[in-house]
Amino acid sequence: MVMFNWEEFLSPILLSLKISLLSSVIVFSLGLIAAWYMARRQFIGKTIVETLFMLPLVLPPTVVGFALLVSLGRRSWVGQLVESLFNQPLVFTWEAAVIASVVISFPLVYQTLKVGFMSIDRDLEESARSIGASERQVLWFISLPLAWPALLSSYILGFARGLGEFGATLMIAGNIPGKTQTIPTAIYVAVDTGKMGLALYWVLSIVITSFVMLMIVNRKKRE
């Protein structure tokens, strides 16, 4: 039996769950707004905007991480502003890992929500408007209930994607044990240092979590 320190084992798991929970809420909110607007509006440059939304899906995570590092680092105006407000840099913090997870997860969440909104019968929405419903009422009482399976799927996919994020997180948040070390970065270090048993347990924890969440998504799609 492989012996290991429980604190060392649980620390990346708890931090990963913390980052994934926060990032999934943020990316779901942003994706919901963007998907609703893009599914219901036509405007010049829409294709370009959608391409930008989907770009993190096809770019290597390290490229996304580099872009975030340049944009949010101590030499950028955003990084300098954050440092002046909170007296600490944004990079190499767990908050930076949240940002990385949001950016990487956004394309999946956005596309899933957009497909869900586009699958709704527009006649139902127009009928609600014809009897005096505002856009907010149409969204809350017609669109969101009908798109419920897509809402659940998008949130779970965003959570799972954030949980498994590695490249961008490593670039902008680093791999500081107890501070920014997530499950994927912990697995990488464990393998690199020959701690294969510890790496295996971390792998099993993330595989089981992702499997359960994807199973929930697939079950909802069949309902």
Side-chain angles (χ1 to χ4, degrees):
M1 179 178 178
V2 179
M3 300 297 295
F4 58 89
N5 186 295
W6 275 102
E7 184 177 353
E8 180 186 9
F9 172 68
L10 290 175
S11 178
I13 295 177
L14 296 176
L15 182 60
S16 291
L17 291 174
K18 175 183 177 181
I19 291 171
S20 297
L21 283 170
L22 182 56
S23 66
S24 61
V25 171
I26 295 173
V27 75
F28 177 80
S29 302
L30 294 175
L32 183 64
I33 296 170
W36 169 254
Y37 185 84
M38 298 296 281
R40 295 293 181 265
R41 299 288 187 273
Q42 295 295 329
F43 56 90
I44 298 175
K46 181 178 179 179
T47 302
I48 296 176
V49 173
E50 285 203 292
T51 302
L52 290 174
F53 283 169
M54 300 302 295
L55 199 56
L57 187 64
V58 297
L59 287 176
T62 50
V63 173
V64 177
F66 177 79
L68 290 174
L69 189 60
V70 172
S71 303
L72 306 177
R74 303 185 74 170
R75 295 184 178 180
S76 69
W77 70 268
V78 176
Q80 292 174 358
L81 177 62
V82 171
E83 190 165 358
S84 66
L85 292 175
F86 300 100
N87 200 30
Q88 68 171 21
L90 178 59
V91 295
F92 302 116
T93 63
W94 70 269
E95 291 89 349
V98 172
I99 295 174
S101 295
V102 168
V103 174
I104 292 294
S105 304
F106 182 81
L108 279 175
V109 175
Y110 165 76
Q111 188 63 23
T112 304
L113 287 169
K114 183 186 173 187
V115 171
F117 284 135
M118 293 186 70
S119 66
I120 297 173
D121 188 349
R122 297 293 294 274
D123 291 338
L124 296 175
E125 295 177 338
E126 292 301 327
S127 297
R129 293 187 183 98
S130 68
I131 60 175
S134 64
E135 287 300 319
R136 180 178 296 182
Q137 289 174 322
V138 171
L139 174 63
W140 281 103
F141 298 107
I142 303 296
S143 304
L144 291 183
L146 291 176
W148 168 247
L151 299 180
L152 179 62
S153 297
S154 65
Y155 177 81
I156 291 179
L157 288 174
F159 181 92
R161 184 65 186 87
L163 190 66
E165 211 309 287
F166 173 74
T169 299
L170 188 62
M171 290 287 290
I172 192 174
N175 181 44
I176 307 172
K179 185 178 180 182
T180 65
Q181 187 178 67
T182 59
I183 298 176
T185 57
I187 292 171
Y188 175 82
V189 172
V191 172
D192 193 49
T193 56
K195 298 180 179 179
M196 300 301 292
L198 187 57
L200 176 61
Y201 287 119
W202 276 323
V203 167
L204 289 175
S205 68
I206 201 169
V207 167
I208 292 172
T209 302
S210 299
F211 178 83
V212 171
M213 300 191 80
L214 288 176
M215 187 168 64
I216 294 173
V217 171
N218 291 330
R219 175 180 241 176
K220 289 298 179 181
K221 285 181 177 179
R222 291 196 301 266
E223 291 180 356

